[in-house]
Amino acid sequence: MNNPFKDKSLYKFILNKYVIVSLFFVIWILFLDNYSYLDHRVLNKEINELEDNKVYYQEEIRKDKDQIKKLKNPAQIEKYAREKYYMKKDSEDIYIIEFEGDTLDKR
């Protein structure tokens, strides 16, 4: 029984013990290990999403700090209460005018 591939250099290269061990190692690292390449891709995507959330929340914190600075003035507190919570003085009447397509900010 003669093997026709026995003399071929590619056949010898593939059956080389170093190539087999190296191939096994690469497959292990890419797919099977706890720190596999696939897991790293998922974790990197998660990190990018969290960094985007961080930027968003830092911007919201900055806006809230600006709003707090404005609300230290009593006139601004009154304006905010009138606009957001529809508060009024005893002698006033409030009329809310809605146009078609407009919605109120309900909190």
Side-chain angles (χ1 to χ4, degrees), residues 47-87:
I47 287 171
N48 289 337
E49 289 175 5
L50 290 172
E51 286 175 350
D52 291 342
N53 285 345
K54 178 183 171 186
V55 169
Y56 169 76
Y57 286 120
Q58 285 176 338
E59 182 66 24
E60 290 298 314
I61 288 170
R62 187 193 59 75
K63 287 179 186 177
D64 289 343
K65 284 182 180 179
D66 291 343
Q67 189 70 26
I68 289 170
K69 283 181 185 178
K70 288 180 184 177
L71 290 177
K72 291 191 178 191
N73 183 355
Q76 288 293 326
I77 293 174
E78 182 179 344
K79 178 181 176 187
Y80 185 81
R82 287 173 178 267
E83 289 176 358
K84 298 292 182 183
Y85 298 108
Y86 306 113
M87 293 184 170

Side-chain angles (χ1 to χ4, degrees), residues 16-64:
N16 187 339
K17 63 183 176 184
Y18 298 112
V19 172
I20 292 172
V21 169
S22 298
L23 185 62
F24 175 75
F25 177 74
V26 167
I27 290 172
W28 182 268
I29 292 299
L30 286 178
F31 301 107
L32 303 174
D33 192 35
N34 287 337
Y35 304 105
S36 71
Y37 174 71
L38 300 176
D39 290 341
H40 276 284
R41 285 183 48 203
V42 170
L43 292 174
N44 284 338
K45 183 178 177 184
E46 218 173 288
I47 287 171
N48 289 337
E49 289 175 5
L50 290 172
E51 286 175 350
D52 291 342
N53 285 345
K54 178 183 171 186
V55 169
Y56 169 76
Y57 286 120
Q58 285 176 338
E59 182 66 24
E60 290 298 314
I61 288 170
R62 187 193 59 75
K63 287 179 186 177
D64 289 343

